[in-house]
Amino acid sequence: MFPILYLLFATVLCNGEFMRPPPGKMILTRHAESSSYPQQVHISAVGTDHMRVSWITTDKRVPSIVEYGTDSGTYDMTATGEHTSYRYFSYVSGKIHHVNIGPLLPDTVYYYRCGRVGDEFNFKTPPAVLPIDFVVAGDLGQTEWTASTLYHVNQSDYDMLLLPGDLSYADTQQPLWDAFGRFVEPYARKRPWMVTQGNHEVEAFPVLHDLHPFAAYNSRWPMPYQESGSPSNLYYSFDVAAAIHVIMLGSYTDFDSNSAQYNWLVADLAKVDRSKTPWLIVLLHVPWYNTNLAHQGEGESMRKAMEDLLYKARVDVVFCFYI
Ligand SMILES: *[C@@H]1O[C@H](CO)[C@@H](O)[C@H](O)[C@H]1NC(C)=O
């Protein structure tokens, strides 16, 4: 059985020539509920049988607790997690909750409630074995184009979304990270979304040393990096469906041959047992080969550093975005 991959590109082909469609109008999603009501809910896979539930409340008193179970309205299980927040100039984020729940059964619908407040949500866990349906979609933003992309994503009963960079296009305007979280929530709270970073996630100001890059991204979208022995949320790997090893690389952190990412990648590839996980998939933002007129040559130094590693490891497929 093959993993099925749906590729979604906001591109138009006209007589074989690429025509970049005009930018879509932004859709600003607002929070209409109380300050304790969970907003921006999304889930991500942690290991093969846990899920991280993430959400934000402006009310700081809401506990980082998820109640869950396999029957609607009956929560046999409760898990307590952690919370964080961050500052960016005058912006102060809400309380960002992250709760790891499990062990969970594969291919099963779970019903859950965040912070003991608000409505019940549900998600489906990925299958234990192939086949599995992935959606690969990057450069999302929050425009009419994004709405169209997500509408089409939702037409399939996919198992997991893989996002190779560029989420909100907030570009330092932090309230746009909140608007993006609300925009994608109806989809991202139902299926695990596994992301890696793009150029729009960096948001660094080199002159201000206390303003670390990736502040919003790392606070809002933590991925299971510790579980794969990675020292950074900017690159990690995981197994899914007992047959696929997915590697998420970081285009915007060091990748040369004496970098932490390079050393981690060498170690991670060495651990892959192709008799157990015959499929090896890599995602990163900046393509190493590029026929687009934009961004020419930008992936070249990373290609020179890492292509040989991936080639020798006989990676099956690499997905990039950066339109
Ligand atoms: C996604 O599709 C399902 C099934 O057709 C539908 O019930 C649901 O409302 C859709 N979700 C969104 C956010 O449009």
Side-chain angles (χ1 to χ4, degrees):
M1 291 281 205
F2 295 94
I4 300 169
L5 295 154
Y6 296 99
L7 288 176
L8 294 155
F9 298 103
T11 59
V12 180
L13 282 170
C14 225
N15 303 326
E17 273 190 47
F18 173 75
M19 306 247 304
R20 185 183 283 271
K25 244 179 56 198
M26 270 192 74
I27 300 174
L28 278 179
T29 313
R30 295 180 198 287
H31 183 63
E33 308 281 349
S34 75
S35 61
S36 60
Y37 190 92
Q39 51 168 308
Q40 310 178 45
V41 186
H42 66 92
I43 61 164
S44 46
V46 178
T48 50
D49 63 355
H50 283 70
M51 207 63 86
R52 181 181 280 117
V53 180
S54 303
W55 79 97
I56 299 182
T57 53
T58 44
D59 184 340
K60 303 283 194 292
R61 292 164 306 177
V62 174
S64 303
I65 286 177
V66 171
E67 304 158 281
Y68 63 104
T70 51
D71 291 315
S72 176
T74 312
Y75 311 120
D76 312 324
M77 290 158 290
T78 300
T80 305
E82 53 193 38
H83 62 88
T84 186
S85 65
Y86 71 96
R87 286 174 170 275
Y88 197 90
F89 292 98
S90 62
Y91 173 91
V92 184
S93 78
K95 186 172 181 179
I96 308 175
H97 308 262
H98 299 298
V99 181
N100 201 342
I101 67 173
L104 306 171
L105 299 166
D107 208 8
T108 301
V109 175
Y110 281 86
Y111 299 88
Y112 66 104
R113 209 160 73 116
C114 299
R116 299 194 193 283
V117 182
D119 292 323
E120 176 183 274
F121 306 126
N122 65 75
F123 64 74
K124 188 164 76 68
T125 53
V129 293
L130 294 181
I132 181 168
D133 285 6
F134 289 119
V135 164
V136 185
D139 294 87
L140 279 184
Q142 41 192 319
T143 70
E144 288 166 343
W145 288 118
T146 320
S148 165
T149 301
L150 294 178
Y151 170 80
H152 287 95
V153 164
N154 192 50
Q155 296 302 295
S156 84
D157 186 26
Y158 70 98
D159 296 302
M160 177 181 274
L161 186 135
L162 306 174
L163 200 171
D166 284 359
L167 285 71
S168 71
Y169 285 72
D171 297 330
T172 75
Q173 303 303 308
Q174 298 305 305
L176 289 180
W177 273 107
D178 293 308
F180 175 79
R182 293 188 287 262
F183 192 111
V184 301
E185 177 190 319
Y187 311 95
R189 74 179 182 215
K190 292 180 83 76
R191 294 291 185 278
W193 279 34
M194 308 306 286
V195 304
T196 187
Q197 93 279 169
N199 48 310
H200 291 279
E201 274 69 67
V202 184
E203 300 186 307
F205 274 85
V207 284
L208 297 173
H209 291 295
D210 58 340
L211 208 63
H212 298 294
F214 300 106
Y217 175 75
N218 284 337
S219 303
R220 293 165 185 272
W221 292 85
M223 289 291 123
Y225 67 93
Q226 285 126 326
E227 288 77 2
S228 57
S230 161
S232 165
N233 190 43
L234 302 178
Y235 46 89
Y236 63 99
S237 67
F238 59 96
D239 289 347
V240 63
I244 306 169
H245 187 68
V246 180
I247 297 178
M248 294 287 202
L249 294 180
S251 294
Y252 295 94
T253 184
D254 289 345
F255 44 68
D256 53 62
S257 60
N258 49 26
S259 65
Q261 179 173 208
Y262 184 96
N263 290 329
W264 168 81
L265 178 60
V266 170
D268 191 72
L269 288 170
K271 279 188 268 180
V272 178
D273 178 350
R274 295 302 278 272
S275 69
K276 292 200 177 103
T277 54
W279 291 93
L280 185 49
I281 299 177
V282 175
L283 292 97
L284 70 154
H285 191 62
V286 182
W288 294 350
Y289 323 103
N290 179 8
T291 57
N292 188 354
L293 290 180
H295 307 308
Q296 273 301 325
E298 289 182 38
E300 189 58 8
S301 46
M302 193 179 187
R303 182 190 71 75
K304 283 187 180 145
M306 290 183 158
E307 183 182 36
D308 204 40
L309 280 183
L310 299 193
Y311 183 75
K312 288 192 172 127
R314 309 204 63 80
V315 168
D316 293 298
V317 56
V318 178
F319 293 105
C320 306
F321 263 70
Y322 207 27
I323 46 177

